[in-house]
Amino acid sequence: MPSDRYTGLAAVLAAIRNSEDSTQPQIVERVGLGRSVVAQRVAELEAAGLVVSDGFGPSTGGRAPRRLRLHAEAGHVLGADIATNELVVGIADLGGRLLATRHREVEVVAGPEAVLGHLERLAAELVEEAGAADSLWSFGVGMPGPVAWDSGAPAAMPTLPDWSRHPTRAQLAERFGVPVWIDNRTNLSALGERRVNPVAAASRHMVYLGGGYGIGAAVVVDGRIHRGAHGLAGAIDHVPVPGVGDVVCHCGRTGCLEAVAGRAALVRDGRLLAETRQSPALAEVLERTGRIRPVDVTEAAGRGDTAARALLHRSATLIGRSLSTLVNVFDPDLVVVGGGIARARAHVLAAIREEIYRSALPAATRDLRIEPSAFDQEIAGITGAVEFALGELFSPEHLPAVLDARDRVRSLDEDMPA
């Protein structure tokens, strides 16, 4: 259990980190600590090099208060977003500003050795180019499935057994020499959404629809990610959908949401529409490329293809039906539609809204907002991974280790001959 001192330090640091304009009087109002306590905590954070002065704020009659900001240039963090068929790695400063990213197409089913080999090479390139070998502080990683929060290992996934057994966290920590935190990439996208979207940041109870190796949802309860006992909270991809028949899922069960409305379903059903020429647009794509991807269905719908639009509408209706269960259980004030489905928002958002309002309890939807993600989905996961790395680094539980490390750096600097 963190001491009151570290809880206060983390609260003051968060208040500064989350605002572009912070003075000590403003921090006192935000964190609910006394003026003298806030002054002490600010002094500690300044001594550690985490906070610096940045001019003066407006005077209210006395001496103008100093503006304070996070010393973002003091260090770097790495983030990685491992999706079903691609990998994005990024490096950011301590303010969460992405400095550079690398992208690689890679199938997660290739296994941890292959994927992590690419990840390590891309991350090493970023560290070298940023000159961050001696200023790297932490690493946040998003996985395409549930993660056991206590161990940081991917939870047992029948379709990805090799990942469940692989020491991903230990391997990356040894390679880069910093703490590594791992979570479900949908949870991390929700963290990123709350960082950049004022509507999401103001929400205390939110459901975020995303995707990893299937359809997933992140649940925010009282402003914090709710992970559940085994990291499975919000994992709706293998929830049975009534009335869809015996469609076999890759998990071995039948009627799962992922099997009838997710990526695999769009690929399967889109290919059928192409082969039977019910969709002229998809038939042309199949002839030209030999494959159908979810993005092809979205683009065909955008060109007015009736069959592609009907396929997306059916998927959206089934997703909305499953989301309505989460709405009934968790009673959110906001549902954000992100992940791959957000790229098709013009064709799916209205159907998702309609099904949630139709299927969920009226009391739960009376003032419920259902909005598209504010993110460019190409960087949602990596932004969330960086935010995750920073949030854990500066949490009351881990901030003591950060301050101890800064004390050692200062001691070494003072011992160096002039």
Side-chain angles (χ1 to χ4, degrees):
M1 180 69 68
S3 68
D4 289 344
R5 174 191 167 212
Y6 287 115
T7 299
L9 280 165
V12 171
L13 184 58
I16 296 172
R17 189 165 78 92
N18 294 329
S19 175
E20 297 180 357
D21 185 14
S22 290
T23 63
Q24 278 191 201
Q26 291 170 335
I27 295 169
V28 169
E29 293 180 6
R30 291 172 192 157
V31 302
L33 298 174
R35 286 181 296 175
S36 62
V37 174
V38 169
Q40 291 171 4
R41 302 298 174 253
V42 167
E44 288 183 75
L45 294 169
E46 286 185 301
L50 290 173
V51 169
V52 294
S53 294
D54 189 22
F56 294 91
S59 171
T60 57
R63 197 165 68 181
R66 292 183 302 145
R67 280 199 176 96
L68 301 166
R69 68 171 178 87
L70 179 72
H71 189 194
E73 305 85 356
H76 299 84
V77 297
L78 284 168
D81 178 30
I82 304 173
T84 306
N85 57 355
E86 63 181 348
L87 166 69
V88 182
V89 184
I91 191 166
D93 62 21
L94 296 185
R97 182 172 65 94
L98 277 170
L99 305 175
T101 61
R102 291 284 191 278
H103 176 273
R104 181 69 53 85
E105 288 190 6
V106 58
E107 296 289 338
V108 70
V109 293
E113 290 83 3
V115 176
L116 293 179
H118 289 300
L119 189 158
E120 289 183 358
R121 286 190 290 274
L122 296 178
E125 290 175 7
L126 291 170
V127 170
E128 181 178 2
E129 291 179 10
D134 297 323
S135 60
L136 193 62
W137 288 29
S138 67
F139 199 159
V141 180
M143 291 293 299
V147 170
W149 179 243
D150 53 350
S151 66
M157 293 182 283
T159 53
L160 299 172
D162 292 342
W163 282 97
S164 304
R165 296 188 292 264
H166 193 81
T168 301
R169 187 177 189 176
Q171 177 177 331
L172 294 176
E174 181 178 0
R175 172 65 178 82
F176 293 98
V178 295
V180 176
W181 290 287
I182 300 178
D183 200 358
N184 179 351
R185 67 187 297 264
T186 304
N187 286 344
L188 302 193
S189 293
L191 287 177
E193 189 77 33
R194 288 176 59 80
R195 180 70 174 174
V196 305
N197 182 350
V199 174
S203 169
R204 302 298 297 170
H205 305 282
M206 179 180 84
V207 169
Y208 176 93
L209 174 70
Y213 197 75
I215 299 169
V219 178
V220 174
V221 176
D222 198 24
R224 297 174 64 87
I225 295 291
H226 175 69
R227 296 182 172 88
H230 307 100
L232 296 171
I236 61 174
D237 45 349
H238 296 290
V239 172
V241 180
V244 295
D246 296 328
V247 181
V248 178
C249 182
H250 49 237
C251 73
R253 297 178 175 87
T254 60
C256 297
L257 179 64
E258 166 62 16
V260 297
R263 179 177 184 270
L266 291 177
V267 169
R268 179 194 64 235
D269 296 343
R271 187 179 186 93
L272 179 62
L273 293 175
E275 291 173 343
T276 59
R277 307 198 72 82
Q278 296 178 66
S279 167
L282 292 178
E284 186 276 326
V285 171
L286 184 61
E287 290 173 1
R288 177 166 43 85
T289 68
R291 65 177 182 176
I292 295 295
R293 302 167 299 165
V295 67
D296 297 323
V297 178
T298 299
E299 290 176 354
R303 295 197 298 271
D305 187 278
T306 303
R309 287 187 171 184
L311 176 56
L312 286 177
H313 185 274
R314 178 177 184 272
S315 294
T317 299
L318 296 175
I319 290 170
R321 192 173 304 166
S322 294
L323 282 175
S324 69
T325 300
L326 291 184
V327 169
N328 284 340
V329 172
F330 290 103
D331 189 24
D333 52 47
L334 174 68
V335 172
V336 174
V337 178
I341 198 72
R343 298 187 179 99
R345 67 183 64 177
H347 309 289
V348 302
L349 192 59
I352 289 174
R353 282 191 179 121
E354 181 180 352
E355 189 61 29
I356 290 176
Y357 289 138
R358 188 185 71 82
S359 300
L361 294 170
T365 59
R366 184 172 54 245
D367 55 2
L368 175 67
R369 297 182 64 172
I370 303 171
E371 304 289 344
S373 171
F375 258 129
D376 175 352
Q377 294 304 303
E378 298 298 329
I379 64 166
I382 191 64
T383 302
V386 165
E387 178 63 22
F388 178 49
L390 291 168
E392 290 301 313
L393 186 71
F394 295 145
S395 69
E397 293 79 10
H398 301 123
L399 188 56
V402 174
L403 296 178
D404 287 345
R406 300 301 293 169
D407 285 341
R408 289 195 295 273
V409 170
R410 287 201 308 276
S411 296
L412 289 173
D413 289 344
E414 291 170 359
D415 292 340
M416 291 288 288

PDB file of all heavy atoms in Angstrom, residues 316-351:
ATOM      1  N   ALA A 316     -23.070  -4.751 -37.467  1.00  0.00           N
ATOM      2  CA  ALA A 316     -23.279  -3.674 -36.507  1.00  0.00           C
ATOM      3  C   ALA A 316     -24.451  -3.974 -35.589  1.00  0.00           C
ATOM      4  O   ALA A 316     -24.395  -3.694 -34.374  1.00  0.00           O
ATOM      5  CB  ALA A 316     -23.511  -2.357 -37.238  1.00  0.00           C
ATOM      6  N   THR A 317     -25.496  -4.550 -36.121  1.00  0.00           N
ATOM      7  CA  THR A 317     -26.664  -4.885 -35.302  1.00  0.00           C
ATOM      8  C   THR A 317     -26.310  -5.932 -34.252  1.00  0.00           C
ATOM      9  O   THR A 317     -26.687  -5.811 -33.074  1.00  0.00           O
ATOM     10  CB  THR A 317     -27.806  -5.398 -36.190  1.00  0.00           C
ATOM     11  OG1 THR A 317     -28.185  -4.365 -37.105  1.00  0.00           O
ATOM     12  CG2 THR A 317     -29.013  -5.794 -35.351  1.00  0.00           C
ATOM     13  N   LEU A 318     -25.556  -6.949 -34.639  1.00  0.00           N
ATOM     14  CA  LEU A 318     -25.156  -7.992 -33.694  1.00  0.00           C
ATOM     15  C   LEU A 318     -24.196  -7.447 -32.639  1.00  0.00           C
ATOM     16  O   LEU A 318     -24.274  -7.805 -31.459  1.00  0.00           O
ATOM     17  CB  LEU A 318     -24.520  -9.160 -34.448  1.00  0.00           C
ATOM     18  CG  LEU A 318     -25.447  -9.909 -35.413  1.00  0.00           C
ATOM     19  CD1 LEU A 318     -24.677 -10.966 -36.179  1.00  0.00           C
ATOM     20  CD2 LEU A 318     -26.619 -10.532 -34.663  1.00  0.00           C
ATOM     21  N   ILE A 319     -23.291  -6.572 -33.051  1.00  0.00           N
ATOM     22  CA  ILE A 319     -22.377  -5.945 -32.084  1.00  0.00           C
ATOM     23  C   ILE A 319     -23.161  -5.072 -31.107  1.00  0.00           C
ATOM     24  O   ILE A 319     -22.926  -5.098 -29.898  1.00  0.00           O
ATOM     25  CB  ILE A 319     -21.310  -5.114 -32.825  1.00  0.00           C
ATOM     26  CG1 ILE A 319     -20.339  -6.044 -33.560  1.00  0.00           C
ATOM     27  CG2 ILE A 319     -20.546  -4.225 -31.846  1.00  0.00           C
ATOM     28  CD1 ILE A 319     -19.410  -5.325 -34.514  1.00  0.00           C
ATOM     29  N   GLY A 320     -24.095  -4.296 -31.616  1.00  0.00           N
ATOM     30  CA  GLY A 320     -24.922  -3.468 -30.741  1.00  0.00           C
ATOM     31  C   GLY A 320     -25.709  -4.291 -29.746  1.00  0.00           C
ATOM     32  O   GLY A 320     -25.876  -3.901 -28.584  1.00  0.00           O
ATOM     33  N   ARG A 321     -26.180  -5.463 -30.170  1.00  0.00           N
ATOM     34  CA  ARG A 321     -26.936  -6.337 -29.275  1.00  0.00           C
ATOM     35  C   ARG A 321     -26.045  -6.811 -28.115  1.00  0.00           C
ATOM     36  O   ARG A 321     -26.479  -6.846 -26.962  1.00  0.00           O
ATOM     37  CB  ARG A 321     -27.476  -7.528 -30.062  1.00  0.00           C
ATOM     38  CG  ARG A 321     -28.515  -8.367 -29.324  1.00  0.00           C
ATOM     39  CD  ARG A 321     -29.099  -9.414 -30.265  1.00  0.00           C
ATOM     40  NE  ARG A 321     -29.671  -8.781 -31.457  1.00  0.00           N
ATOM     41  CZ  ARG A 321     -29.997  -9.453 -32.561  1.00  0.00           C
ATOM     42  NH1 ARG A 321     -29.789 -10.768 -32.631  1.00  0.00           N
ATOM     43  NH2 ARG A 321     -30.529  -8.818 -33.582  1.00  0.00           N
ATOM     44  N   SER A 322     -24.797  -7.165 -28.426  1.00  0.00           N
ATOM     45  CA  SER A 322     -23.883  -7.604 -27.362  1.00  0.00           C
ATOM     46  C   SER A 322     -23.468  -6.436 -26.478  1.00  0.00           C
ATOM     47  O   SER A 322     -23.352  -6.581 -25.254  1.00  0.00           O
ATOM     48  CB  SER A 322     -22.646  -8.266 -27.980  1.00  0.00           C
ATOM     49  OG  SER A 322     -22.996  -9.462 -28.638  1.00  0.00           O
ATOM     50  N   LEU A 323     -23.260  -5.272 -27.068  1.00  0.00           N
ATOM     51  CA  LEU A 323     -22.919  -4.092 -26.262  1.00  0.00           C
ATOM     52  C   LEU A 323     -24.054  -3.717 -25.319  1.00  0.00           C
ATOM     53  O   LEU A 323     -23.812  -3.217 -24.215  1.00  0.00           O
ATOM     54  CB  LEU A 323     -22.600  -2.910 -27.172  1.00  0.00           C
ATOM     55  CG  LEU A 323     -21.216  -2.893 -27.826  1.00  0.00           C
ATOM     56  CD1 LEU A 323     -21.108  -1.713 -28.780  1.00  0.00           C
ATOM     57  CD2 LEU A 323     -20.110  -2.822 -26.781  1.00  0.00           C
ATOM     58  N   SER A 324     -25.285  -3.970 -25.733  1.00  0.00           N
ATOM     59  CA  SER A 324     -26.414  -3.627 -24.862  1.00  0.00           C
ATOM     60  C   SER A 324     -26.362  -4.409 -23.552  1.00  0.00           C
ATOM     61  O   SER A 324     -26.815  -3.920 -22.510  1.00  0.00           O
ATOM     62  CB  SER A 324     -27.746  -3.887 -25.582  1.00  0.00           C
ATOM     63  OG  SER A 324     -27.974  -5.278 -25.769  1.00  0.00           O
ATOM     64  N   THR A 325     -25.793  -5.619 -23.594  1.00  0.00           N
ATOM     65  CA  THR A 325     -25.619  -6.387 -22.353  1.00  0.00           C
ATOM     66  C   THR A 325     -24.649  -5.682 -21.420  1.00  0.00           C
ATOM     67  O   THR A 325     -24.895  -5.571 -20.210  1.00  0.00           O
ATOM     68  CB  THR A 325     -25.109  -7.800 -22.667  1.00  0.00           C
ATOM     69  OG1 THR A 325     -26.055  -8.459 -23.509  1.00  0.00           O
ATOM     70  CG2 THR A 325     -24.923  -8.604 -21.397  1.00  0.00           C
ATOM     71  N   LEU A 326     -23.543  -5.177 -21.973  1.00  0.00           N
ATOM     72  CA  LEU A 326     -22.593  -4.429 -21.147  1.00  0.00           C
ATOM     73  C   LEU A 326     -23.230  -3.151 -20.610  1.00  0.00           C
ATOM     74  O   LEU A 326     -22.960  -2.740 -19.485  1.00  0.00           O
ATOM     75  CB  LEU A 326     -21.339  -4.088 -21.959  1.00  0.00           C
ATOM     76  CG  LEU A 326     -20.420  -5.240 -22.355  1.00  0.00           C
ATOM     77  CD1 LEU A 326     -19.183  -4.708 -23.066  1.00  0.00           C
ATOM     78  CD2 LEU A 326     -20.015  -6.060 -21.150  1.00  0.00           C
ATOM     79  N   VAL A 327     -24.050  -2.516 -21.431  1.00  0.00           N
ATOM     80  CA  VAL A 327     -24.744  -1.304 -20.974  1.00  0.00           C
ATOM     81  C   VAL A 327     -25.647  -1.631 -19.789  1.00  0.00           C
ATOM     82  O   VAL A 327     -25.690  -0.897 -18.789  1.00  0.00           O
ATOM     83  CB  VAL A 327     -25.541  -0.674 -22.129  1.00  0.00           C
ATOM     84  CG1 VAL A 327     -26.487   0.415 -21.614  1.00  0.00           C
ATOM     85  CG2 VAL A 327     -24.591  -0.101 -23.176  1.00  0.00           C
ATOM     86  N   ASN A 328     -26.370  -2.735 -19.871  1.00  0.00           N
ATOM     87  CA  ASN A 328     -27.242  -3.131 -18.755  1.00  0.00           C
ATOM     88  C   ASN A 328     -26.444  -3.477 -17.500  1.00  0.00           C
ATOM     89  O   ASN A 328     -26.855  -3.150 -16.387  1.00  0.00           O
ATOM     90  CB  ASN A 328     -28.093  -4.343 -19.158  1.00  0.00           C
ATOM     91  CG  ASN A 328     -29.233  -3.974 -20.079  1.00  0.00           C
ATOM     92  OD1 ASN A 328     -29.643  -2.819 -20.161  1.00  0.00           O
ATOM     93  ND2 ASN A 328     -29.746  -4.958 -20.804  1.00  0.00           N
ATOM     94  N   VAL A 329     -25.298  -4.142 -17.666  1.00  0.00           N
ATOM     95  CA  VAL A 329     -24.521  -4.613 -16.518  1.00  0.00           C
ATOM     96  C   VAL A 329     -23.737  -3.480 -15.867  1.00  0.00           C
ATOM     97  O   VAL A 329     -23.707  -3.360 -14.635  1.00  0.00           O
ATOM     98  CB  VAL A 329     -23.571  -5.750 -16.941  1.00  0.00           C
ATOM     99  CG1 VAL A 329     -22.613  -6.109 -15.808  1.00  0.00           C
ATOM    100  CG2 VAL A 329     -24.371  -6.980 -17.350  1.00  0.00           C
ATOM    101  N   PHE A 330     -23.082  -2.626 -16.686  1.00  0.00           N
ATOM    102  CA  PHE A 330     -22.172  -1.623 -16.132  1.00  0.00           C
ATOM    103  C   PHE A 330     -22.753  -0.210 -16.088  1.00  0.00           C
ATOM    104  O   PHE A 330     -22.159   0.680 -15.475  1.00  0.00           O
ATOM    105  CB  PHE A 330     -20.860  -1.616 -16.922  1.00  0.00           C
ATOM    106  CG  PHE A 330     -20.034  -2.845 -16.708  1.00  0.00           C
ATOM    107  CD1 PHE A 330     -19.987  -3.839 -17.670  1.00  0.00           C
ATOM    108  CD2 PHE A 330     -19.317  -3.030 -15.534  1.00  0.00           C
ATOM    109  CE1 PHE A 330     -19.236  -4.991 -17.476  1.00  0.00           C
ATOM    110  CE2 PHE A 330     -18.566  -4.165 -15.330  1.00  0.00           C
ATOM    111  CZ  PHE A 330     -18.524  -5.160 -16.299  1.00  0.00           C
ATOM    112  N   ASP A 331     -23.874   0.022 -16.753  1.00  0.00           N
ATOM    113  CA  ASP A 331     -24.564   1.311 -16.688  1.00  0.00           C
ATOM    114  C   ASP A 331     -23.628   2.477 -17.008  1.00  0.00           C
ATOM    115  O   ASP A 331     -23.471   3.398 -16.206  1.00  0.00           O
ATOM    116  CB  ASP A 331     -25.179   1.484 -15.290  1.00  0.00           C
ATOM    117  CG  ASP A 331     -26.106   2.691 -15.219  1.00  0.00           C
ATOM    118  OD1 ASP A 331     -26.634   3.111 -16.263  1.00  0.00           O
ATOM    119  OD2 ASP A 331     -26.295   3.219 -14.095  1.00  0.00           O
ATOM    120  N   PRO A 332     -22.997   2.484 -18.201  1.00  0.00           N
ATOM    121  CA  PRO A 332     -22.093   3.579 -18.536  1.00  0.00           C
ATOM    122  C   PRO A 332     -22.850   4.844 -18.923  1.00  0.00           C
ATOM    123  O   PRO A 332     -24.050   4.815 -19.219  1.00  0.00           O
ATOM    124  CB  PRO A 332     -21.326   3.029 -19.740  1.00  0.00           C
ATOM    125  CG  PRO A 332     -22.329   2.141 -20.406  1.00  0.00           C
ATOM    126  CD  PRO A 332     -23.115   1.502 -19.285  1.00  0.00           C
ATOM    127  N   ASP A 333     -22.132   5.963 -18.914  1.00  0.00           N
ATOM    128  CA  ASP A 333     -22.708   7.198 -19.442  1.00  0.00           C
ATOM    129  C   ASP A 333     -22.239   7.470 -20.862  1.00  0.00           C
ATOM    130  O   ASP A 333     -22.713   8.387 -21.523  1.00  0.00           O
ATOM    131  CB  ASP A 333     -22.374   8.391 -18.539  1.00  0.00           C
ATOM    132  CG  ASP A 333     -20.885   8.508 -18.240  1.00  0.00           C
ATOM    133  OD1 ASP A 333     -20.077   8.414 -19.177  1.00  0.00           O
ATOM    134  OD2 ASP A 333     -20.533   8.679 -17.055  1.00  0.00           O
ATOM    135  N   LEU A 334     -21.256   6.643 -21.338  1.00  0.00           N
ATOM    136  CA  LEU A 334     -20.698   6.859 -22.671  1.00  0.00           C
ATOM    137  C   LEU A 334     -20.278   5.522 -23.264  1.00  0.00           C
ATOM    138  O   LEU A 334     -19.661   4.698 -22.588  1.00  0.00           O
ATOM    139  CB  LEU A 334     -19.477   7.784 -22.583  1.00  0.00           C
ATOM    140  CG  LEU A 334     -18.672   8.015 -23.869  1.00  0.00           C
ATOM    141  CD1 LEU A 334     -19.497   8.811 -24.884  1.00  0.00           C
ATOM    142  CD2 LEU A 334     -17.367   8.746 -23.566  1.00  0.00           C
ATOM    143  N   VAL A 335     -20.612   5.308 -24.533  1.00  0.00           N
ATOM    144  CA  VAL A 335     -20.085   4.196 -25.320  1.00  0.00           C
ATOM    145  C   VAL A 335     -19.300   4.805 -26.475  1.00  0.00           C
ATOM    146  O   VAL A 335     -19.831   5.630 -27.224  1.00  0.00           O
ATOM    147  CB  VAL A 335     -21.198   3.284 -25.864  1.00  0.00           C
ATOM    148  CG1 VAL A 335     -20.618   2.260 -26.840  1.00  0.00           C
ATOM    149  CG2 VAL A 335     -21.918   2.576 -24.726  1.00  0.00           C
ATOM    150  N   VAL A 336     -18.026   4.424 -26.602  1.00  0.00           N
ATOM    151  CA  VAL A 336     -17.184   4.912 -27.692  1.00  0.00           C
ATOM    152  C   VAL A 336     -16.945   3.759 -28.661  1.00  0.00           C
ATOM    153  O   VAL A 336     -16.524   2.672 -28.250  1.00  0.00           O
ATOM    154  CB  VAL A 336     -15.834   5.444 -27.171  1.00  0.00           C
ATOM    155  CG1 VAL A 336     -14.919   5.813 -28.336  1.00  0.00           C
ATOM    156  CG2 VAL A 336     -16.049   6.659 -26.284  1.00  0.00           C
ATOM    157  N   VAL A 337     -17.203   3.991 -29.923  1.00  0.00           N
ATOM    158  CA  VAL A 337     -16.989   2.976 -30.959  1.00  0.00           C
ATOM    159  C   VAL A 337     -15.633   3.245 -31.600  1.00  0.00           C
ATOM    160  O   VAL A 337     -15.450   4.216 -32.326  1.00  0.00           O
ATOM    161  CB  VAL A 337     -18.107   3.012 -32.010  1.00  0.00           C
ATOM    162  CG1 VAL A 337     -17.847   1.981 -33.101  1.00  0.00           C
ATOM    163  CG2 VAL A 337     -19.461   2.760 -31.350  1.00  0.00           C
ATOM    164  N   GLY A 338     -14.661   2.390 -31.284  1.00  0.00           N
ATOM    165  CA  GLY A 338     -13.315   2.518 -31.829  1.00  0.00           C
ATOM    166  C   GLY A 338     -12.907   1.235 -32.524  1.00  0.00           C
ATOM    167  O   GLY A 338     -13.744   0.469 -32.985  1.00  0.00           O
ATOM    168  N   GLY A 339     -11.589   0.990 -32.591  1.00  0.00           N
ATOM    169  CA  GLY A 339     -11.098  -0.214 -33.235  1.00  0.00           C
ATOM    170  C   GLY A 339     -11.376  -0.201 -34.728  1.00  0.00           C
ATOM    171  O   GLY A 339     -11.703   0.822 -35.324  1.00  0.00           O
ATOM    172  N   GLY A 340     -11.255  -1.379 -35.337  1.00  0.00           N
ATOM    173  CA  GLY A 340     -11.457  -1.478 -36.778  1.00  0.00           C
ATOM    174  C   GLY A 340     -12.848  -1.076 -37.218  1.00  0.00           C
ATOM    175  O   GLY A 340     -13.025  -0.530 -38.305  1.00  0.00           O
ATOM    176  N   ILE A 341     -13.850  -1.317 -36.369  1.00  0.00           N
ATOM    177  CA  ILE A 341     -15.225  -0.990 -36.741  1.00  0.00           C
ATOM    178  C   ILE A 341     -15.410   0.513 -36.915  1.00  0.00           C
ATOM    179  O   ILE A 341     -16.290   0.961 -37.653  1.00  0.00           O
ATOM    180  CB  ILE A 341     -16.217  -1.548 -35.690  1.00  0.00           C
ATOM    181  CG1 ILE A 341     -17.641  -1.629 -36.254  1.00  0.00           C
ATOM    182  CG2 ILE A 341     -16.198  -0.743 -34.410  1.00  0.00           C
ATOM    183  CD1 ILE A 341     -17.824  -2.704 -37.267  1.00  0.00           C
ATOM    184  N   ALA A 342     -14.549   1.317 -36.249  1.00  0.00           N
ATOM    185  CA  ALA A 342     -14.682   2.772 -36.354  1.00  0.00           C
ATOM    186  C   ALA A 342     -14.366   3.263 -37.762  1.00  0.00           C
ATOM    187  O   ALA A 342     -14.843   4.321 -38.180  1.00  0.00           O
ATOM    188  CB  ALA A 342     -13.753   3.450 -35.352  1.00  0.00           C
ATOM    189  N   ARG A 343     -13.561   2.489 -38.492  1.00  0.00           N
ATOM    190  CA  ARG A 343     -13.254   2.895 -39.870  1.00  0.00           C
ATOM    191  C   ARG A 343     -14.484   2.839 -40.764  1.00  0.00           C
ATOM    192  O   ARG A 343     -14.526   3.470 -41.821  1.00  0.00           O
ATOM    193  CB  ARG A 343     -12.140   2.012 -40.427  1.00  0.00           C
ATOM    194  CG  ARG A 343     -10.827   2.114 -39.664  1.00  0.00           C
ATOM    195  CD  ARG A 343      -9.724   1.341 -40.374  1.00  0.00           C
ATOM    196  NE  ARG A 343      -8.458   1.461 -39.654  1.00  0.00           N
ATOM    197  CZ  ARG A 343      -7.981   0.532 -38.830  1.00  0.00           C
ATOM    198  NH1 ARG A 343      -8.668  -0.586 -38.644  1.00  0.00           N
ATOM    199  NH2 ARG A 343      -6.827   0.699 -38.211  1.00  0.00           N
ATOM    200  N   ALA A 344     -15.470   2.043 -40.341  1.00  0.00           N
ATOM    201  CA  ALA A 344     -16.716   1.930 -41.111  1.00  0.00           C
ATOM    202  C   ALA A 344     -17.853   2.686 -40.443  1.00  0.00           C
ATOM    203  O   ALA A 344     -19.026   2.367 -40.649  1.00  0.00           O
ATOM    204  CB  ALA A 344     -17.089   0.449 -41.261  1.00  0.00           C
ATOM    205  N   ARG A 345     -17.519   3.706 -39.661  1.00  0.00           N
ATOM    206  CA  ARG A 345     -18.533   4.373 -38.835  1.00  0.00           C
ATOM    207  C   ARG A 345     -19.709   4.912 -39.643  1.00  0.00           C
ATOM    208  O   ARG A 345     -20.840   4.929 -39.161  1.00  0.00           O
ATOM    209  CB  ARG A 345     -17.891   5.510 -38.039  1.00  0.00           C
ATOM    210  CG  ARG A 345     -17.390   6.677 -38.865  1.00  0.00           C
ATOM    211  CD  ARG A 345     -16.701   7.731 -38.016  1.00  0.00           C
ATOM    212  NE  ARG A 345     -15.490   7.195 -37.401  1.00  0.00           N
ATOM    213  CZ  ARG A 345     -14.672   7.917 -36.652  1.00  0.00           C
ATOM    214  NH1 ARG A 345     -14.952   9.182 -36.395  1.00  0.00           N
ATOM    215  NH2 ARG A 345     -13.589   7.398 -36.141  1.00  0.00           N
ATOM    216  N   ALA A 346     -19.452   5.337 -40.856  1.00  0.00           N
ATOM    217  CA  ALA A 346     -20.544   5.889 -41.663  1.00  0.00           C
ATOM    218  C   ALA A 346     -21.613   4.847 -41.946  1.00  0.00           C
ATOM    219  O   ALA A 346     -22.771   5.195 -42.198  1.00  0.00           O
ATOM    220  CB  ALA A 346     -19.988   6.433 -42.984  1.00  0.00           C
ATOM    221  N   HIS A 347     -21.253   3.568 -41.882  1.00  0.00           N
ATOM    222  CA  HIS A 347     -22.192   2.504 -42.221  1.00  0.00           C
ATOM    223  C   HIS A 347     -22.660   1.705 -41.004  1.00  0.00           C
ATOM    224  O   HIS A 347     -23.590   0.913 -41.131  1.00  0.00           O
ATOM    225  CB  HIS A 347     -21.548   1.547 -43.223  1.00  0.00           C
ATOM    226  CG  HIS A 347     -20.941   2.230 -44.404  1.00  0.00           C
ATOM    227  ND1 HIS A 347     -21.704   2.820 -45.386  1.00  0.00           N
ATOM    228  CD2 HIS A 347     -19.647   2.456 -44.731  1.00  0.00           C
ATOM    229  CE1 HIS A 347     -20.898   3.367 -46.290  1.00  0.00           C
ATOM    230  NE2 HIS A 347     -19.653   3.166 -45.911  1.00  0.00           N
ATOM    231  N   VAL A 348     -22.012   1.884 -39.853  1.00  0.00           N
ATOM    232  CA  VAL A 348     -22.337   1.021 -38.709  1.00  0.00           C
ATOM    233  C   VAL A 348     -22.815   1.764 -37.475  1.00  0.00           C
ATOM    234  O   VAL A 348     -23.527   1.184 -36.644  1.00  0.00           O
ATOM    235  CB  VAL A 348     -21.119   0.137 -38.323  1.00  0.00           C
ATOM    236  CG1 VAL A 348     -20.678  -0.718 -39.493  1.00  0.00           C
ATOM    237  CG2 VAL A 348     -19.959   0.989 -37.801  1.00  0.00           C
ATOM    238  N   LEU A 349     -22.435   3.027 -37.323  1.00  0.00           N
ATOM    239  CA  LEU A 349     -22.704   3.707 -36.062  1.00  0.00           C
ATOM    240  C   LEU A 349     -24.198   3.821 -35.770  1.00  0.00           C
ATOM    241  O   LEU A 349     -24.654   3.564 -34.648  1.00  0.00           O
ATOM    242  CB  LEU A 349     -22.048   5.091 -36.049  1.00  0.00           C
ATOM    243  CG  LEU A 349     -22.013   5.807 -34.692  1.00  0.00           C
ATOM    244  CD1 LEU A 349     -21.263   4.964 -33.665  1.00  0.00           C
ATOM    245  CD2 LEU A 349     -21.367   7.173 -34.837  1.00  0.00           C
ATOM    246  N   ALA A 350     -24.979   4.169 -36.783  1.00  0.00           N
ATOM    247  CA  ALA A 350     -26.424   4.319 -36.572  1.00  0.00           C
ATOM    248  C   ALA A 350     -27.059   2.986 -36.176  1.00  0.00           C
ATOM    249  O   ALA A 350     -27.927   2.941 -35.292  1.00  0.00           O
ATOM    250  CB  ALA A 350     -27.087   4.872 -37.834  1.00  0.00           C
ATOM    251  N   ALA A 351     -26.610   1.886 -36.805  1.00  0.00           N
ATOM    252  CA  ALA A 351     -27.173   0.575 -36.479  1.00  0.00           C
ATOM    253  C   ALA A 351     -26.787   0.141 -35.067  1.00  0.00           C
ATOM    254  O   ALA A 351     -27.601  -0.456 -34.354  1.00  0.00           O
ATOM    255  CB  ALA A 351     -26.695  -0.464 -37.495  1.00  0.00           C
TER     256      ALA A 351
END
